[in-house]
Amino acid sequence: MAKENTKYIFVVGGVISGVGKGITSSSIGLILKNRGLNVTAIKIDPYINVDAGTMNPTEHGEVFVLGDKDETDQDMGNYERFLDINLTRTNYMTTGRVYQTVIEKERNLEYKGKCVEVVPHIPLEVVRRIKKAGVDAKADVVIVEVGGTVGEYQNMLFLEAARMLKIEQPHNVFFIMVSYLPTPSKVGEMKTKPTQHASRLLNGSGIQADILIARADTPLDEKRKEKLAMFCNIPADKIISAPDVDSVYDIPINFEKEKLSEKLCEIMNVVCKKPDEKRWLAWKNFTKKVHNSKDTLKIAMIGKYFETGDFILSDSYLSVIEAVKYSAYSQNKKPIISWLNATDFEKSPAKLKELKNYDGIIVPGGFGSRGIEGIISTIKFARENKIPYFGLCYGMQLLVIEYARNILGLKDANTREVNPNSKNMVIDVMEEQKELLKNNLYGGSMRLGNYECVLGKGTVAENSYGSKEIIERHRHRYEVNNSFVESLEKKGLVFSGKSPNGKLMEIAELPKKDHPFFLGTQFHPEFLARPLTPHPLFTAFIKACINKKK
Ligand code: GLN
């Protein structure tokens, strides 16, 4: 049963994409949670893909994996980090997922002989999912971020769902439009017209925004607020100025300067409890560290999903970047992350020397063969030159390959993913994956989500976590081949984390006496790093970087 008065706040975007709806939704969630409300958040992605797992990161940014195996959008990571909650697959939907359910229901005769139509059956399924997420989380407030921009064809049915829910529960459904106000350099004046048009487009979907978040280079002046109030039908005090900021973590604080949580409680007609001082102070202290940490650490990220045309897209590794930041700030350090393209090291091996200028090296997750030899050469360099190295998923597998090649002397050691003819397949396909791959069953079929892992006594891993058992999130098809474990261990590599049955190697490391930090995880620790609770392995890596710098 839904709580009687669960409130639904839809967040929609106006004028341009990338206007910060995700961070806005996360920040609104945080300030409402701070007022004692139980908040959950939903992301709606308008694409046909059933989940984000089948897309290249350069298409759509990072694939954020939930504990329950769902492969989702990076905004889900923002919600988890800002709200400090764990979300599940009910919190994520795509057009593909919604249609899939409706079609399955139709095949099962669940529509009892009715003609199943795009309207109302698709929006009704959307509404069912939104309500279910609220029930599952026992939420007072469900924030629903509708991907895309108002006026485009792609998200129309989701806006229609929101409108239908508003008709059903007029006192429980609210709308926030996050819009963009450009200041063309030649004009020199902030322009409200595009936002006025966006507001009309939203009205055309039968929806009136209750609050407008006005994103712009600079704060809004009174004149602009009055204009927007007049032409968007929103009281001036419900128009919130959201100028560009240096750190996204300032946004909840800026919102509260505009009394947004009070205004939201007023609109929703819920009791606005006094803010949770302790949590709020912790958040403020965190943002102080973001701004005041001046001593820098230079971190190299070696990857291949950065470039889109002439632009660099760090979105592909968003969680890794944030995880590095949290741990660095916790040590009062400011991380400077450089993107180094793996293929550059293949073209000019002399470039490897430049790695000496960094305090630490990270190889994040990845797929396929492009750039792999370049990455392996950087890992070798990090090992030989005692530069702290942290490998995430593929970064762990490649660490093992590097060790097998250069320490065990297995020159053609490889992963089946790159060379299916290698005689020394130190990384091989997981048993249960074989059949899936043979039948081209790629979607949502990797080893995904939460798995337990047992840590070896006295290892770097155990010392970092300070516990013997952990749970981390996974996303992979390949794993360390057990027939090489003994010989690798004999030559000094330690498998310091294993699945509870001892069969899967989850962490590989060199002992502290041999290297300041040389560790790789088969899982993705970055998905569990939170601003107020940095991830212990990232913090251990950062500490090693600090020592290296000294
Ligand atoms: N490509 C590797 C695998 O499938 C690693 C995946 C990853 O880095 N997420 O096992």
Side-chain angles (χ1 to χ4, degrees):
M1 263 294 278
K3 280 193 182 178
E4 224 165 87
N5 270 320
T6 298
K7 307 290 180 188
Y8 303 92
I9 301 177
F10 287 86
V11 178
V12 302
V15 180
I16 56 167
S17 64
V19 71
K21 288 191 305 284
I23 296 293
T24 299
S25 305
S26 308
S27 301
I28 289 170
L30 185 145
I31 58 176
L32 290 178
K33 183 175 172 180
N34 226 28
R35 294 288 186 166
L37 294 164
N38 188 12
V39 182
T40 193
I42 296 176
K43 174 74 193 266
I44 294 178
D45 270 329
Y47 45 68
I48 306 279
N49 302 59
V50 172
D51 57 42
T54 50
M55 273 181 280
N56 188 309
T58 50
E59 285 280 317
H60 187 258
E62 168 185 87
V63 177
F64 189 83
V65 182
L66 303 181
D68 73 354
K69 306 181 190 304
D70 207 11
E71 296 176 282
T72 71
D73 178 72
Q74 60 187 40
D75 276 325
M76 298 289 281
N78 288 323
Y79 307 158
E80 285 202 346
R81 291 187 281 263
F82 275 68
L83 284 161
D84 198 13
I85 52 175
N86 292 324
L87 298 170
T88 65
R89 60 178 59 242
T90 43
N91 296 81
Y92 185 62
M93 74 178 103
T94 67
T95 297
R97 191 170 285 196
V98 172
Y99 269 84
Q100 196 179 42
T101 311
V102 170
I103 292 168
E104 271 165 22
K105 280 188 187 169
E106 184 275 328
R107 292 287 83 186
N108 299 343
L109 268 183
E110 284 180 51
Y111 291 103
K112 302 194 171 36
K114 274 223 160 64
C115 171
V116 184
E117 298 183 89
V118 170
V119 177
H121 296 103
I122 296 296
L124 282 175
E125 171 58 19
V126 174
V127 167
R128 184 193 69 80
R129 285 170 172 264
I130 291 171
K131 287 183 181 168
K132 181 166 188 323
V135 173
D136 287 358
K138 300 189 178 61
D140 301 311
V141 180
V142 182
I143 295 173
V144 188
E145 180 190 345
V146 182
T149 314
V150 293
E152 64 192 10
Y153 182 77
Q154 305 229 40
N155 57 18
M156 233 156 59
L157 288 168
F158 296 107
L159 293 179
E160 178 63 1
R163 191 194 63 79
M164 282 163 62
L165 187 59
K166 173 89 181 173
I167 297 289
E168 183 192 294
Q169 303 187 28
H171 303 297
N172 289 337
V173 178
F174 307 91
F175 293 94
I176 295 179
M177 183 165 81
V178 187
S179 194
Y180 179 66
L181 291 100
T183 307
S185 59
K186 290 283 182 288
V187 181
E189 188 196 3
M190 191 189 287
K191 290 299 190 185
T192 62
K193 194 62 64 67
T195 295
Q196 295 179 35
H197 286 310
S199 166
R200 290 212 181 116
L201 277 171
L202 190 60
N203 292 159
S205 304
I207 292 170
Q208 169 63 48
D210 299 287
I211 287 194
L212 177 70
I213 308 280
R215 290 277 300 108
D217 298 347
T218 53
L220 287 192
D221 58 1
E222 282 312 308
K223 181 122 192 254
R224 241 92 352 213
K225 274 197 181 176
E226 281 163 23
K227 244 189 182 172
L228 289 167
M230 169 65 91
F231 294 109
C232 302
N233 299 318
I234 299 172
D237 72 316
K238 302 293 183 310
I239 295 171
I240 307 292
S241 181
D244 286 351
V245 286
D246 290 336
S247 155
V248 293
Y249 301 102
D250 289 336
I251 291 173
I253 296 173
N254 289 353
F255 279 171
E256 283 308 63
K257 284 187 189 143
E258 301 242 0
K259 298 196 172 11
L260 184 55
S261 65
E262 274 171 61
K263 289 174 185 173
L264 278 166
C265 289
E266 177 204 311
I267 294 172
M268 296 189 292
N269 195 22
V270 297
V271 184
C272 195
K273 289 200 197 125
K274 273 178 99 173
D276 177 344
E277 289 298 341
K278 215 173 123 204
R279 271 200 75 78
W280 193 231
L281 199 67
W283 188 270
K284 280 187 168 165
N285 283 339
F286 164 71
T287 62
K288 272 191 198 140
K289 288 197 168 190
V290 174
H291 293 293
N292 299 342
S293 302
K294 297 278 184 273
D295 193 15
T296 57
L297 282 181
K298 286 169 76 180
I299 313 286
M301 279 255 273
I302 323 263
K304 55 181 183 177
Y305 302 118
F306 311 132
E307 294 145 336
T308 71
D310 292 341
F311 297 92
I312 296 275
L313 189 89
S314 54
D315 268 13
S316 309
Y317 303 108
L318 185 67
S319 295
V320 182
I321 298 168
E322 298 312 297
V324 168
K325 287 185 190 166
Y326 305 155
S327 288
Y329 296 141
S330 77
Q331 306 302 309
N332 299 306
K333 300 289 173 202
K334 178 186 172 129
I336 310 283
I337 300 175
S338 303
W339 312 104
L340 305 185
N341 202 323
T343 48
D344 291 351
F345 294 98
E346 292 172 359
K347 284 183 218 138
S348 44
K351 231 181 125 64
L352 281 170
K353 281 204 288 297
E354 290 171 24
L355 289 174
K356 283 207 167 145
N357 303 329
Y358 293 92
D359 304 312
I361 297 173
I362 294 180
V363 171
F367 296 85
S369 55
R370 184 167 61 87
I372 292 314
E373 290 304 319
I375 296 180
I376 293 173
S377 66
T378 65
I379 300 175
K380 177 169 186 270
F381 193 87
R383 183 175 53 74
E384 292 178 341
N385 292 281
K386 306 245 189 276
I387 303 170
Y389 171 78
F390 194 12
L392 311 170
C393 205
Y394 217 1
M396 177 261 205
Q397 296 174 355
L398 299 173
L399 173 161
V400 175
I401 293 171
E402 188 278 319
Y403 210 79
R405 284 188 189 177
N406 300 312
I407 302 292
L408 266 59
L410 308 173
K411 288 295 166 223
D412 80 331
N414 218 323
T415 161
R416 190 178 290 278
E417 189 174 356
V418 173
N419 178 10
N421 301 317
S422 163
K423 297 235 164 26
N424 293 292
M425 204 70 83
V426 291
I427 305 295
D428 207 345
V429 67
M430 301 187 73
E431 207 38 54
E432 67 264 30
Q433 289 290 330
K434 287 183 184 157
E435 203 56 20
L436 295 167
L437 291 181
K438 212 163 73 197
N439 297 312
N440 292 343
L441 295 172
Y442 293 109
S445 66
M446 284 187 236
R447 178 170 180 247
L448 291 166
N450 280 349
Y451 284 93
E452 275 174 48
C453 168
V454 181
L455 304 177
K457 216 172 157 45
T459 58
V460 175
E462 193 207 35
N463 290 338
S464 308
Y465 279 100
S467 65
K468 224 180 139 26
E469 274 150 49
I470 54 163
I471 293 177
E472 291 279 0
R473 297 185 190 173
H474 297 244
R475 182 171 188 251
H476 61 112
R477 293 191 200 278
Y478 300 83
E479 59 159 340
V480 174
N481 180 343
N482 283 334
S483 41
F484 291 89
V485 166
E486 209 186 304
S487 41
L488 284 161
E489 290 206 303
K490 262 198 193 131
K491 289 279 184 187
L493 195 65
V494 176
F495 289 101
S496 54
K498 294 181 186 172
S499 58
N501 64 6
K503 291 208 170 121
L504 301 173
M505 303 301 122
E506 308 281 38
I507 307 178
E509 63 173 72
L510 281 182
K512 207 148 192 138
K513 63 172 177 39
D514 296 335
H515 196 287
F517 192 95
F518 190 75
L519 183 146
T521 59
Q522 183 56 79
F523 48 82
H524 289 270
E526 66 269 24
F527 293 142
L528 293 186
R530 306 254 164 104
L532 305 185
T533 45
H535 193 284
L537 282 181
F538 277 91
T539 305
F541 167 70
I542 287 293
K543 284 181 177 164
C545 297
I546 295 172
N547 283 334
K548 150 89 172 44
K549 196 183 168 190
K550 277 188 207 147

